Amino acid sequence: GKRSTPQNRYYWGAIIPIVQDGLEAVGVTMSKEQTHELLKYKFLKREFITSDGDILQSVGSTTELSTIEFSEYKESIQQWASEYLNIIVPDPNEQIEIEIQHPIEGRN
């Protein structure tokens, strides 16, 4: 099946802005869309070899990913972000825990 709506929200709401901040810290300013394109190009690139031996490259779409493929894509991004940008991209469940640990103050 296609990736889930929660995965999509997590991707655009957490992964993209966190990576965007990490890139900014190393001097690369990108929009959310550009960050998305960069990640796709890095991790969803496919090569096809023609009968003549030519190499054709194509970049996959995140919307076409199954939930399992999306999970692999996420892990690739997390590993790369950790190694090259020194940033932690939390898992969706970790993100929820972070929100719970910081309740809004001043509510009675």
Side-chain angles (χ1 to χ4, degrees):
K2 298 277 182 77
R3 67 170 180 190
S4 63
T5 304
Q7 279 182 326
N8 189 39
R9 273 205 304 267
Y10 160 70
Y11 180 69
W12 287 101
I15 295 179
I16 293 291
I18 290 168
V19 171
Q20 204 181 5
D21 287 349
L23 288 167
E24 186 98 34
V26 294
V28 178
T29 302
M30 286 192 169
S31 68
K32 281 192 162 57
E33 191 58 44
Q34 287 169 327
T35 303
H36 167 59
E37 292 298 326
L38 171 83
L39 294 175
K40 279 200 314 187
Y41 188 76
K42 283 191 74 63
F43 303 114
L44 297 180
K45 199 163 48 178
R46 302 278 178 270
E47 290 193 343
F48 302 92
I49 299 174
T50 68
S51 50
D52 298 337
D54 287 333
I55 295 172
L56 302 176
Q57 290 186 334
S58 145
V59 177
S61 160
T62 55
T63 51
E64 298 297 318
L65 299 178
S66 69
T67 49
I68 292 163
E69 286 168 335
F70 181 83
S71 198
E72 289 167 357
Y73 176 57
K74 170 190 74 80
E75 282 166 24
S76 300
I77 294 168
Q78 286 173 315
Q79 188 178 348
W80 172 76
S82 162
E83 288 175 16
Y84 292 97
L85 300 175
N86 291 311
I87 52 173
I88 301 300
V89 176
D91 277 333
N93 54 347
E94 290 173 13
Q95 210 190 349
I96 291 162
E97 284 166 20
I98 290 163
E99 286 168 19
I100 291 167
Q101 283 164 6
H102 300 286
I104 297 161
E105 289 175 27
R107 285 205 182 152
N108 297 319

